Amino acid sequence: MRATPAFGGTVASRLSRLTTVLALSASALLCVTGPAHAARDPLPADIPDYQAALSLVKSPAVLEAVCRFVSVPLPRGDLGSAQTIPDVAEPCAGLPTFTLKDPVAVHEITPGFVAGTAPPIAAEAVRLSYLVSSLRIAVNDRQVTVMLARTEGGWQLAAVREGDSDFVHADMAAVGDLVFTEPQIRGWYRLRLLTVTPLNDQAREGLGGRASMSLSDYQKLVGSRYADKLAGSEYDTKGYSSGYGTASGGADDGSSPAQLVLGGSTMALVLAGGAFVLRRRRDTTG
């Protein structure tokens, strides 16, 4: 008769442990699935006028720009050549219906960080440069990146580029870290606390094959590379400041957002004088 309370106590104890395990499992599942779904640093709320950017990538104007880009064969011939894209009434006619992914932030190292005048902390080392989005599905067997530049009133379309590597890398940011690019070498890195880790081959080569590096050591590294290439230097006056060159020839001065995001790509649709122009360029990252 005394065994019954003991048996009941055992069952209650096991049920209690089972409840605890299930609760912890559910909590762990939320920790795993939650950030993958919505967490990003910075969070969209931390991106200025993010709702405007979200509306822009869903707008008919941007979707039509993408249609123009993917409906025209990639230009051949001399690098630096430009091709004006015909202005048709329905550029998306005959193409499958598509949407663009929510834009994500592209951060770059700051001039102050490179010069060594800014402390090696995340808030001073990198800055928001532009936003990127990409197609959810390939259109005409092509994948593209839509680039948005900051304006006084929000965001504007800066360029449509071939490929989606910028979006893929920028979208790797998760809770507690920040993804940024060293545009001069097309390197992508993850910054977690004060540690920098490479995300692509260019970045690994940029760190000399090291698996990681402290932010302060990375500052010394980029300082040795670019401190003599900042604003006002000969490198800057030739149009390659921050690793981005201006379009070949013409009156381009590199000041427009479209030109700033053009460097490093081989094909881009940009706004020029109110018309869309398809340019093929030499990769300035060599």
Side-chain angles (χ1 to χ4, degrees):
M1 295 298 292
R2 293 180 181 178
T4 301
F7 178 77
T10 300
V11 172
S13 177
R14 289 178 178 176
L15 287 175
S16 178
R17 287 197 297 269
L18 179 60
T19 301
T20 301
V21 169
L22 291 175
L24 291 174
S25 299
S27 177
L29 183 61
L30 287 174
C31 290
V32 171
T33 60
H37 172 71
R40 185 176 290 123
D41 192 7
L43 296 173
D46 296 328
I47 298 176
D49 300 314
Y50 183 77
Q51 186 57 51
L54 193 60
S55 298
L56 181 59
V57 297
K58 297 179 181 180
S59 68
V62 168
L63 297 181
E64 289 179 3
V66 174
C67 290
R68 288 189 177 94
F69 185 73
V70 299
S71 63
V72 175
L74 299 180
R76 300 180 181 276
D78 295 336
L79 294 174
S81 60
Q83 172 186 351
T84 301
I85 297 179
D87 186 11
V88 297
E90 298 181 10
C92 295
L95 294 176
T97 301
F98 65 89
T99 57
L100 292 167
K101 297 177 182 178
D102 292 352
V104 295
V106 172
H107 293 83
E108 296 178 357
I109 52 177
T110 66
F113 179 74
V114 173
T117 58
I121 59 175
E124 299 289 343
V126 300
R127 66 183 178 188
L128 174 65
S129 293
Y130 49 91
L131 303 183
V132 292
S133 178
S134 68
L135 292 168
R136 292 188 180 276
I137 59 170
V139 178
N140 271 8
D141 295 323
R142 288 162 64 185
Q143 185 58 267
V144 302
T145 293
V146 171
M147 312 189 77
L148 308 181
R150 192 86 167 92
T151 67
E152 292 184 2
W155 297 90
Q156 69 176 9
L157 174 64
V160 181
R161 294 197 334 192
E162 195 73 20
D164 65 348
S165 62
D166 281 3
F167 180 88
V168 169
H169 287 106
D171 197 42
M172 289 181 178
V175 171
D177 62 38
L178 182 69
V179 168
F180 69 94
T181 178
E182 183 185 334
Q184 294 85 350
I185 63 171
R186 300 293 292 167
W188 287 88
Y189 305 85
R190 184 187 307 279
L191 175 59
R192 177 165 294 175
L193 297 178
L194 296 177
T195 301
V196 175
T197 56
L199 294 177
N200 64 355
D201 291 340
Q202 293 92 326
R204 280 183 281 274
E205 183 178 351
L207 296 188
R210 294 176 59 175
S212 64
M213 180 178 289
S214 70
L215 186 58
S216 59
D217 285 344
Y218 177 71
Q219 183 178 33
K220 297 174 184 176
L221 184 64
V222 295
S224 67
R225 287 176 184 161
Y226 314 120
D228 60 344
K229 299 176 178 64
L230 296 173
S233 66
E234 182 182 2
Y235 186 84
D236 171 52
T237 57
K238 288 184 177 180
Y240 293 98
S241 181
S242 296
Y244 292 123
T246 58
S248 302
D252 295 322
D253 63 2
S255 61
S256 70
Q259 297 304 328
L260 288 176
V261 300
L262 188 56
S265 67
T266 56
M267 215 71 63
L269 175 71
V270 300
L271 290 169
F276 283 109
V277 176
L278 191 64
R279 284 197 176 102
R280 183 178 181 181
R281 294 199 8 99
R282 180 180 288 107
D283 193 326
T284 61
T285 61

